[in-house]
Amino acid sequence: MMRGDEVVPIESQLDWQERYCRAAGSPTSAEILRAVINDLQGPRSLSTVLPSHTRFGDLIGLRIMAAVHLLAIERRAPAVAIFAPTLGGVAPSRSADPGRANRQFHDAVIEAIASNTEMIGTAITEVPQTNEVGRSRLLRIALSMIRGGVRLFEFGASAGLNLRADHLPGDPALESGPMPSVTERRGCDLNPIDPTTTSGRARLTSYVWMDDLDRFERLRGALQVAAEIPATVVKQDAADFVGTIELHTGSTTVLWHSSMWVYLDEGSRIRISEQVIRLGAKATRESPLWHVAWEPLPDDRDHHELTVQVWDGGPGSGTVGRVAIGTTHGRQVTLVANDDVGDRDQACE
Ligand SMILES: C[S@@+](CC[C@H](N)C(=O)[O-])C[C@H]1O[C@@H](n2cnc3c(N)ncnc32)[C@H](O)[C@@H]1O
């Protein structure tokens, strides 16, 4: 069982998420969860809307934060919107009287949830679809090690923004070469978001934390890129999708996933791993497979690791190497010295 599979009291998941948001510099989003925790421990007006227990890895706190943000974006919760920096509001922590502003914000959040129980009830059943383009920086590290043509595949792609990683901002200090030429971009999601529609853009924006104007700007830039660089995201389960991928001679097939493994059940994880091994066993120097992932460290919920598994039929084919660690949205990234990746003889020049 992964640590994310534990079933915990809802307050404990919200408390962890609140601390994570606060540490990441988003006190307003943290206050959304503080309002809910206080309510559950006090008046309990939300206890009919929210479950008493939750699977930790379902990250119900993210779902609640996004739903409240979406209500504000859609102007269905104006009393919340006036405190949301992403919507031009003033964060409670930055107001002249933070204590008073916080109490008003808490009231606005509880009122928004209590007045939209149907929407919230649906939102907490939906897997968070944060399409965080900060994670492109990690994918770009792997892409920068590849020479020649790349066919890029992603499962759990949300709106497919990271399928355009080679056109999104990277960090030259982390990359080891220029971007290869990406000739195909294809992903899957249980519920693909169309980044070219108003509702799709609103939904993607709702997953940005309220104080995080950098992420907000990054998303805005990525939406422009998405309008220019096409990528396909099909509605399909991850394990089925991986089973459809074939290798092509003369190009490197890159299979990427980020911040989605925790949402899979054990059966799906095993199926996907078996499909990767089956595909990897067919790989050669002329048709290599790179399996690249940015997922939480198994023993540390607060950090992610970038792993690269190169399959090319040569010695050590299929060895997993850790390349970098950092925080979920692709910040505080540190490269890890690794002999298993990056030095491989590339045949697909
Ligand atoms: C937190 S988002 C991450 C999106 C993207 N990978 C990123 O890093 O920005 C997780 C995504 O995984 C998708 N997902 C969860 N389970 C899935 C499955 N079994 N098959 C396909 N997609 C799935 C969700 O719909 C959601 O869009």
Side-chain angles (χ1 to χ4, degrees), residues 59 62 126-136 154-162 188-193 203 207 234-241 256-265 268 272 294-295 328:
L59 302 181
L62 285 185
E126 291 170 342
V127 172
Q129 293 205 268
T130 318
N131 204 181
E132 175 49 56
V133 288
R135 296 182 189 128
S136 275
E154 177 180 10
F155 55 86
S158 185
L161 298 180
N162 289 328
C188 82
D189 200 280
L190 289 180
N191 188 20
I193 297 178
R203 191 160 158 72
Y207 289 109
V234 294
K235 187 175 175 64
Q236 193 171 27
D237 178 72
D240 295 337
F241 174 78
W256 154 256
H257 54 99
S258 59
S259 293
M260 73 81 63
W261 199 248
V262 75
Y263 299 113
L264 299 173
D265 59 33
S268 296
I272 293 170
W294 177 246
E295 298 289 355
T328 175

Side-chain angles (χ1 to χ4, degrees), residues 110-128:
I110 300 302
E111 171 64 22
I113 296 176
S115 316
N116 293 279
T117 50
E118 203 173 318
M119 182 271 201
I120 298 287
T122 305
I124 59 174
T125 65
E126 291 170 342
V127 172

